[in-house]
């Protein structure tokens, strides 16, 4: 398919494929939303061409032929004025009515929706399945089912965005916001945070995995089993669990690559240059201080953006985290 065809037709109308303008349509509401996009797009194309055409036409048609040529007297036209008022009014009403209907459809979850709670924090998403009593660090849903997300934030404004579903809504502290979708086919889609929320905003990514109902049931059973397994006692295994649960992994990798904060790989025992020009050796004391009061010593080249964890971890948990970091040589 040529670029021109993509630009002009928007095949999303027909097949749900990716187009020049839009990602693939992976939810039941997506075709309705795209139809409005293309309606507005075409209204704009028609008027842009008509108005620019008139501008250029008049350039040449009414060009002053000689320095002393006078323009002809302009008389008013009720017909033109009426057309200029009626057409935009009709268009506005049509755009409002079509837009409002889809807005209501996309805002009000069907009564038979299954529930998932979404909790946003700097800088990760967590998903809670209230009926099954499980937590997941990525969103997994059954194909062909209405899913209602009730979302809240632990800290600042975030925004939940799945382009393939045409679903986007702010996630706020101290208030719940709700979105819903129905993804008819199995597949994987990106989740973005689309409200600037600090240093880690651009890495606040996740995925929604749509599974066939049988595969979804199997996944849920597995999660329930994992949730009822005993929690590890203090030690490396608990540390690794906390590394994910407390979202350390949102900013600190275990594989040596750089994110918002320094990587944990090879961290222990290393000597680290600080913003104030001094140097520290990374030992248990330094790690503990950096978890509880991160602003005390800022590593050179990094912003003081980590929230303090003082009072949020028991001594056993702090020790376990440090022991886990030690293993990442
Ligand atoms: Cu969360 Cu941007």
């Amino acid at each position: 398919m040529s670029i021109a065809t993509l630009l002009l037709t928007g095949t999303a109308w027909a097949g749900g494929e990716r187009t020049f303008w839009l990602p693939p349509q992976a939810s039941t509401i997506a075709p309705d939303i795209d139809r409005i996009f293309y309606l507005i797009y075409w209204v704009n194309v028609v008027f842009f061409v008509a108005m620019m055409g008139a501008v250029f036409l008049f350039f040449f048609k009414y060009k002053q032929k000689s320095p002393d040529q006078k323009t002809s007297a302009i008389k008013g036209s009720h017909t033109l004025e009426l057309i200029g008022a009626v057409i935009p009014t009709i268009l506005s009403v049509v755009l409002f009515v079509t837009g409002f209907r889809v807005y209501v459809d996309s805002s009000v979850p069907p009564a038979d929706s299954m529930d998932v709670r979404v909790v946003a924090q700097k800088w990760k998403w967590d998903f809670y399945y209230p009926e099954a009593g499980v937590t997941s660090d990525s969103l997994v849903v059954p194909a062909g089912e209405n899913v209602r997300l009730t979302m809240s934030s632990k800290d600042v404004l975030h925004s939940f965005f799945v382009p393939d579903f045409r679903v986007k809504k702010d996630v706020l502290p101290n208030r719940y916001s709700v979105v819903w979708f129905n993804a008819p086919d199995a597949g994987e889609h990106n989740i973005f945070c689309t409200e600037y929320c600090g240093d880690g905003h651009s890495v606040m990514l996740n995925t929604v995995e749509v599974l066939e109902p049988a595969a979804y049931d199997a996944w849920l059973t597995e999660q329930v089993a994992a949730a009822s397994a005993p929690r590890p006692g203090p030690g490396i295994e608990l540390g690794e669990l906390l590394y994910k649960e407390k979202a350390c992994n949102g900013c600190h990798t275990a594989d040596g690559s750089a994110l918002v904060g320094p990587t944990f790989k090879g961290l222990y025992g290393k000597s680290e240059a600080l913003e104030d020009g001094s140097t520290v050796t990374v030992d248990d004391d330094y790690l503990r201080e950096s978890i509880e009061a991160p602003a005390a010593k800022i590593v050179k080249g990094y912003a003081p953006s980590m929230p303090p964890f003082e009072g949020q971890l028991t001594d056993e948990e702090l020790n376990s985290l440090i022991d886990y970091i030690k293993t990442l040589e």
Side-chain angles (χ1 to χ4, degrees):
M1 184 179 301
S2 73
I3 293 275
T5 323
L6 275 175
L7 269 170
L8 293 173
T9 59
T11 50
W13 278 35
E17 303 259 309
R18 172 188 307 272
T19 69
F20 180 82
W21 297 118
L22 297 167
Q25 298 173 329
S27 73
T28 50
I29 201 87
D32 297 334
I33 289 176
D34 291 1
R35 216 165 283 133
I36 297 175
F37 172 84
Y38 284 111
L39 175 63
I40 295 171
Y41 169 81
W42 278 112
V43 167
N44 279 284
V45 167
V46 167
F47 280 88
F48 179 80
V49 170
M51 287 160 86
M52 288 302 119
V55 165
F56 281 102
L57 183 70
F58 295 172
F59 266 176
F60 298 104
K61 191 164 180 207
Y62 299 108
K63 187 177 188 304
Q64 199 180 29
K65 303 278 184 329
S66 64
D68 54 358
Q69 186 199 4
K70 294 206 175 80
T71 51
S72 53
I74 295 170
K75 277 183 263 148
S77 163
H78 286 304
T79 317
L80 274 179
E81 278 182 38
L82 208 61
I83 292 173
V86 168
I87 292 182
T89 306
I90 292 175
L91 275 175
S92 306
V93 171
V94 168
L95 290 178
F96 174 77
V97 171
T98 42
F100 190 70
R101 286 170 64 165
V102 177
Y103 173 75
V104 170
D105 284 348
S106 70
S107 304
V108 183
D112 63 353
S113 302
M114 65 167 266
D115 278 299
V116 181
R117 278 190 186 276
V118 179
V119 176
Q121 71 183 89
K122 294 193 285 188
W123 286 282
K124 68 164 188 162
W125 303 99
D126 280 311
F127 304 93
Y128 298 87
Y129 294 73
E131 277 155 52
V134 300
T135 307
S136 171
D137 52 15
S138 70
L139 182 56
V140 180
V141 295
E145 237 192 279
N146 299 324
V147 180
R148 169 175 41 214
L149 305 179
T150 305
M151 312 188 291
S152 58
S153 165
K154 278 190 183 171
D155 38 48
V156 299
L157 273 178
H158 302 274
S159 185
F160 181 87
F161 183 28
V162 183
D164 295 354
F165 290 174
R166 314 292 188 267
V167 158
K168 172 152 77 170
K169 193 139 198 178
D170 275 13
V171 181
L172 316 160
N174 306 323
R175 192 201 290 179
Y176 295 108
S177 52
V178 173
V179 285
W180 78 277
F181 61 85
N182 182 326
D185 302 309
E188 199 173 287
H189 309 279
N190 291 318
I191 299 172
F192 297 94
C193 175
T194 179
E195 187 77 67
Y196 183 68
C197 54
D199 284 9
H201 164 68
S202 61
V203 295
M204 196 167 162
L205 308 168
N206 212 307
T207 52
V208 44
E209 199 179 343
V210 183
L211 298 176
E212 293 301 342
Y216 172 78
D217 288 342
W219 173 84
L220 201 61
T221 312
E222 210 175 278
Q223 297 301 305
V224 171
S228 55
R231 207 171 159 77
I236 294 161
E237 203 186 330
L238 178 63
E240 188 173 0
L241 196 65
L242 290 165
Y243 169 66
K244 290 172 190 148
E245 278 183 359
K246 298 292 175 187
C248 313
N249 59 354
C251 300
H252 305 278
T253 66
D255 65 4
S257 58
L259 285 180
V260 176
T263 181
F264 283 169
K265 189 181 166 67
L267 183 62
Y268 195 81
K270 174 181 173 191
S271 93
E272 195 84 278
L274 301 180
E275 273 294 335
D276 65 7
S278 63
T279 322
V280 290
T281 302
V282 177
D283 55 12
D284 290 44
D285 282 322
Y286 168 79
L287 285 177
R288 184 173 178 137
E289 183 185 53
S290 296
I291 296 166
E292 294 193 312
K297 295 191 176 73
I298 298 297
V299 177
K300 200 168 173 56
Y302 290 92
S305 49
M306 176 169 156
F309 280 79
E310 186 150 30
Q312 295 187 40
L313 295 160
T314 64
D315 276 27
E316 283 84 3
E317 288 175 328
L318 275 165
N319 295 343
S320 302
L321 252 178
I322 295 169
D323 288 333
Y324 168 64
I325 293 170
K326 278 187 200 174
T327 64
L328 302 169
E329 290 166 338

